[in-house]
């Protein structure tokens, strides 16, 4: 099987692979959205806090945020009542009603 680059896959030039290409395109799009969401979310935090959190997903009215440790997750939980209204003023988060915080250790 000849090798193809990402541009070929995403442009659906190979009709037999359109499903895989669509899945890959959705994955790339979601990764880009997560990066944008994380930047916007971190802008609401202090310089000390910002690198400790990453937006994992946004589904319906729930925003899931990963914290680097349980301690940072707890600190963020106390800030949710203050952060939620500020977050809702941003277009990407206008419908968010709940922030779910999970601990997710990053590989070193």
């Amino acid at each position: 099987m000849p090798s193809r680059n990402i541009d070929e896959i995403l442009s659906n030039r190979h009709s037999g692979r359109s499903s895989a290409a669509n899945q890959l395109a959705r994955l790339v799009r979601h990764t880009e959205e997560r990066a944008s969401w994380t930047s916007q979310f971190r802008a609401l935090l202090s310089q000390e806090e910002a690198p400790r959190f990453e937006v994992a997903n946004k589904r319906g009215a729930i925003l899931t945020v990963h914290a680097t440790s349980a301690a940072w997750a707890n600190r963020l939980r106390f800030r949710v009542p203050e952060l939620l209204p500020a977050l809702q003023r941003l277009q990407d988060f206008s419908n968010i009603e709940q922030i779910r915080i999970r601990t997710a250790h990053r590989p070193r």
Side-chain angles (χ1 to χ4, degrees), residues 38-101:
T38 296
S39 293
Q40 292 175 67
F41 183 77
R42 287 177 174 173
L44 300 174
L45 305 174
S46 71
Q47 285 184 339
E48 179 187 15
E49 295 170 320
R52 315 284 193 223
F53 302 100
E54 185 173 313
V55 173
N57 204 6
K58 185 178 82 156
R59 182 167 288 155
I62 300 173
L63 182 70
T64 302
V65 176
H66 285 171
T68 57
S69 71
W72 282 106
N74 284 330
R75 285 178 69 167
L76 186 61
R77 281 186 187 95
F78 284 108
R79 298 218 34 227
V80 166
E82 156 200 348
L83 288 173
L84 196 53
L87 201 60
Q88 291 167 333
R89 285 191 285 273
L90 301 174
Q91 183 176 359
D92 283 346
F93 302 110
S94 61
N95 67 326
I96 297 299
E97 296 174 9
Q98 178 185 356
I99 300 174
R100 182 178 293 156
I101 304 160

Side-chain angles (χ1 to χ4, degrees), residues 6-34:
I6 284 270
D7 291 331
E8 289 176 307
I9 293 169
L10 293 178
S11 69
N12 290 327
R13 289 183 196 150
H14 294 81
S15 60
R17 301 279 188 207
S18 64
S19 177
N22 289 338
Q23 289 175 347
L24 181 57
R26 279 194 305 273
L27 180 61
V28 168
R29 207 169 28 256
H30 188 255
T31 301
E32 291 169 349
E33 286 174 334
R34 282 183 57 196

